[in-house]
Amino acid sequence: MRRITVKELISWKQQQLSKGGDDQSFSFLLDSVGGVSSSEINLLKTNSRDNLYLKRNLSFLESIWEDHLLSASPIQHLCGITFWRDLKLEVSNKVLIPRPETELIVDIVFEIFGRESQKLLFAELGTGSGAISIALALAYPLWEGIATDIDQEALRIASKNFINTSNQSNLNFYFGHWWNPLENFKGKLDLAISNPPYIPGDIYEKLPKEVKNFEPKIALFGGEDGLKHIREIIQGAPLFLKEKGWLILENHYDQGEKVKQLLIKNRFTLVEILNDFSGIGRFTIGRYK
Ligand code: GLN
């Protein structure tokens, strides 16, 4: 532990930020590697001679910050973790850094199924870091979950994240492309969820370099119109969902209506587009018949 006064920490932070980067990323570094959160700093601000205790020394934190500024590598990659809902998850360049808006998928599930629910079977297609599946497995200890991914390294990270955040055993990890690993679960799923790659070709090319150069293309690029994977998932869903089973998809900001039509065409009912915090139709849900 390195002792530092609040005043010293604030002035050191300002000095680092004057080199570049944004406050949010710097606060993330201080919190995840330094062990000091912004709320702790704010709380003590009025007594600036109070001490804070950092887990690592300033020069170590400074070297990560400079690496971030120089390489444009996401701060979460350099720190090796991210925070998502109430989870602390390992991330690397093999998985998409789970986004804040995706946190709402878990709330959508709470809305549909309530908090106290009997035994159900869910699958998440393309789990990446495991965020969604882990949150659900923790919230619903009676449910059984299957989390799939096309990347072995992503599955390794996801299962490690599950072990690190829980002592439950109600989530299993399967390797493969969309529905392929679920052959044994035809007609058995109560719920399927996916945040698939949905960025259209022209937009993918223009993504910020922090995303395009460091996050996996396979987790972002959704073919020329962005809907390649969403289409495949919707078309396969009726074979795997139980009657009245739900499908929840995340989509790009302007894809909601198209995804809705695809669901209707594939005989889904109660199809709805749901907004994220910014009022964007980010999720499309439906029930199979
Ligand atoms: N929302 C993510 C992004 O911005 C994209 C995630 C996805 O394609 N599933 O970059």
Side-chain angles (χ1 to χ4, degrees):
M1 285 285 184
R2 280 85 181 159
R3 192 168 65 184
I4 184 168
T5 66
V6 182
K7 193 172 169 199
E8 282 165 346
L9 186 66
I10 290 174
S11 97
W12 175 75
K13 179 177 170 177
Q14 272 156 3
Q15 190 194 330
Q16 299 307 313
L17 277 169
S18 71
K19 298 178 190 167
D22 60 78
D23 197 312
Q24 205 187 351
S25 302
F26 197 82
S27 301
F28 180 88
L29 168 66
L30 265 185
D31 191 357
S32 60
V33 181
V36 173
S37 68
S38 307
S39 48
E40 237 173 302
I41 299 173
N42 286 337
L43 220 63
L44 295 176
K45 235 179 196 164
T46 41
N47 273 326
S48 59
R49 281 203 303 268
D50 277 0
N51 285 314
L52 283 164
Y53 294 87
L54 285 168
K55 281 202 224 151
R56 306 300 296 255
N57 62 32
L58 294 183
S59 58
F60 181 75
L61 297 170
E62 189 170 340
S63 69
I64 298 182
W65 187 244
E66 287 182 347
D67 197 357
H68 167 65
L69 296 179
L70 205 68
S71 65
S73 182
I75 193 72
Q76 293 92 335
H77 283 176
L78 297 170
C79 301
I81 63 151
T82 197
F83 300 111
W84 191 85
R85 291 186 75 93
D86 54 351
L87 301 171
K88 184 173 171 180
L89 301 168
E90 178 179 322
V91 291
S92 78
N93 60 1
K94 290 292 176 195
V95 299
L96 190 80
I97 300 165
R99 308 290 200 257
E101 60 271 27
T102 306
E103 293 184 1
L104 282 176
I105 287 189
V106 179
D107 296 300
I108 294 171
V109 175
F110 291 163
E111 269 299 302
I112 296 175
F113 293 94
R115 291 306 290 266
E116 310 288 333
S117 191
Q118 73 286 32
K119 202 170 154 61
L120 293 182
L121 180 64
F122 80 89
E124 186 198 1
L125 280 61
T127 194
S129 66
I132 299 170
S133 289
I134 294 170
L136 290 178
L138 289 171
Y140 294 103
L142 293 178
W143 288 16
E144 281 294 323
I146 303 160
T148 75
D149 209 278
I150 188 74
D151 189 288
Q152 292 281 16
E153 179 57 13
L155 281 181
R156 191 193 64 77
I157 292 174
S159 51
K160 192 169 162 205
N161 280 331
F162 184 50
I163 291 166
N164 287 344
T165 46
S166 134
N167 47 22
Q168 292 171 203
S169 56
N170 59 335
L171 184 60
N172 288 298
F173 297 87
Y174 285 59
F175 170 74
H177 180 77
W178 302 137
W179 298 104
N180 290 353
L182 297 163
E183 276 298 303
N184 292 335
F185 300 94
K186 281 185 179 153
K188 293 193 177 147
L189 301 177
D190 296 280
L191 165 67
I193 300 168
S194 188
N195 171 18
Y198 53 65
I199 307 283
D202 52 340
I203 297 188
Y204 181 80
E205 290 312 317
K206 290 184 232 138
L207 285 176
K209 70 172 187 251
E210 210 174 297
V211 177
K212 187 163 176 244
N213 293 354
F214 296 94
E215 295 203 74
K217 183 174 185 181
I218 196 170
L220 290 160
F221 177 58
E224 270 328 294
D225 70 349
L227 292 166
K228 178 175 190 280
H229 301 290
I230 288 184
R231 232 177 259 121
E232 195 174 330
I233 291 170
I234 293 178
Q235 282 161 3
L239 203 57
F240 295 87
L241 289 173
K242 269 186 187 162
E243 203 167 305
K244 296 200 162 31
W246 287 89
L247 179 62
I248 302 177
L249 294 168
E250 183 174 314
N251 50 255
H252 206 31
Y253 72 95
D254 58 353
Q255 292 169 339
E257 198 48 49
K258 285 191 186 131
V259 180
K260 183 176 172 180
Q261 292 313 321
L262 280 168
L263 285 167
I264 292 170
K265 203 169 125 197
N266 284 276
R267 295 191 290 152
F268 279 79
T269 60
L270 304 177
V271 178
E272 257 187 276
I273 303 169
L274 302 174
N275 286 352
D276 64 14
F277 292 124
S278 325
I280 287 168
R282 176 69 66 188
F283 313 99
T284 311
I285 68 169
R287 196 172 204 192
Y288 185 59
K289 289 197 298 193

